[in-house]
Amino acid sequence: LYICFRTVEPLEYYRRFLKENCRPDGRELGEFRATTVNIGSITTADGSALVKLGNTTVICGVKAELAAPAVDSANKGYIVPNVELPSLCSTRFRSGPPGEEAQAASQFIADVIENSQIIAKEDLCIANGKLAWVLYCDIICLDYDGNILDASAFALLAALKNVQLPSVTINEETGLSEVNLKQKNPLIIRKHPVATSFAIFDDTLLIVDPTAEEEDVATGTVTIVTDDEGRLCSVHKPGGSPLTGAKLQDCITRAVTRHKEVKKLIDKVIKSIKPK
Amino acid sequence: PPQMRGSRSKALPDRALVNCQYSMATFSTGERRRRPHGDRQASELALQLKQTFEAAILTCLYPRSQIDIYVQILQADGGEYCACVNAATLAVMDAGIPMRDYVCASSAGLAEDTPLADLSSPEEAAGGPRLVLALLPASGQIALLQLSARLHQERLEAALEAAGEACRALHAVLDRVVRERLQEVTALLGD
């Protein structure tokens, strides 16, 4: 009987739970779903990570290619993120060119990379004006159950930490590049941005890490990206119901706590794959 | 996972339409693939998957509807079609859509008269004859058989046998997994 209620009147259903300060899946308002990370599973990619946030599953593969740097920034490489929400992850996505949500997510990830300076583009340069690395970061959602932005950002960070770039030298005589696949160096990750998303209900209540259902009934969403020293990288609030300054401050505090949790998890996973 | 959806334009009056889409992640092969969906290999494989599953799924039970099967390759190391078929079989079972039988697929080849089952990417590239077999294990019926490169008629038996063996072994694994999952699910529902 409660399943009928849930489908017919989802908002009321949620309101009843929120009044008791909890959610249908048993979580508290400020609790994240169980997060699992698996690094380095795709051997054909230069770096990869699979992140599961509850049921939301996202995989990120990084492939590095060589290219000539742009004329106006001759000492910088490129990072090209792309988020794909294929039809197989949810019935809401039809096959064809990338929809609005996929494009918005891609842009969000690009902004995170830009704002947080996660990788200094200068590090990707091999020879000024001649050769630089291009990192193609492809993020594919395998199962969509809400909070795709957090999962994608996390997957991206984990995959980049896993990337090993072969050393490239330029032969002085021929001017051609020689790639040494045997000697690989890890990528220098300067900052560790972590995204925390909230859904807003009825202009007042905030819940962390919304599932797909919660996102549908929510009146707005906020995503906060924090950095290592508790600094704010970006705040993403695409419209939706208005939020008071105090509430925003609460979100920021929660985001900083989440950052610590995520950082611990990533470090643990990286350490566990070290012996190779 | 396959989803049931009402299809407006191509509805068949007496059975369900099976629609397959095959996609490879850009990081799945050694060199980055630029076009995950539209290329010829993807279309060919999607069509083969569609034909295989039209034979296996009891489509007459769902008139005027469409069953969409989406397969995404995360890493390609030979035998992609076979992996797709096996995965799709499990997914269709998971969705509760009735099928005639499991569809198990395996590739096989010959290297100097020795039959090899389940070729990996370097073995496929070596240029020997290659056989792809999709089998319905209980009845022993062949859903799809594809042979590339020249093979002597006498050798065909050996290669077929090798592929058949592999399929049957796979069938045992798939069956076990499905039963375990079923037990899990009924235990959860029972609580």
Side-chain angles (χ1 to χ4, degrees), chain A residues 154-175:
Chain A
F154 193 174
L156 180 73
L157 182 62
L160 285 175
K161 289 208 87 148
N162 179 234
V163 168
Q164 302 265 18
L165 291 177
S167 54
V168 182
T169 47
I170 301 217
N171 192 322
E172 288 301 329
E173 295 114 47
T174 59

Side-chain angles (χ1 to χ4, degrees), chain A residues 78-98:
Chain A
Y78 307 89
I79 308 182
V80 182
N82 181 37
V83 177
E84 236 180 78
L85 298 171
S87 318
L88 68 75
C89 67
S90 164
T91 44
R92 58 181 81 197
F93 303 118
R94 311 234 58 193
S95 51

Side-chain angles (χ1 to χ4, degrees), chain A residues 5 10-22:
Chain A
F5 185 46
L11 199 49
E12 263 312 304
Y13 178 77
Y14 269 92
R15 281 213 183 97
R16 300 224 176 150
F17 278 92
L18 293 173
K19 261 199 280 249
E20 310 290 326
N21 264 347
C22 74

Side-chain angles (χ1 to χ4, degrees), chain A residues 100-148:
Chain A
E100 236 178 52
E101 195 167 346
Q103 294 194 12
S106 298
Q107 187 55 43
F108 171 77
I109 298 287
D111 287 340
V112 167
I113 295 177
E114 200 44 55
N115 291 335
S116 61
Q117 292 286 301
I118 181 173
I119 290 185
K121 293 209 182 118
E122 288 81 3
D123 288 340
L124 295 175
C125 183
I126 304 170
N128 255 13
K130 285 194 227 130
L131 207 59
W133 283 113
V134 184
L135 292 179
Y136 289 103
C137 309
D138 294 295
I139 300 172
I140 303 184
C141 175
L142 297 174
D143 200 352
Y144 185 90
D145 194 21
N147 205 1
I148 197 78

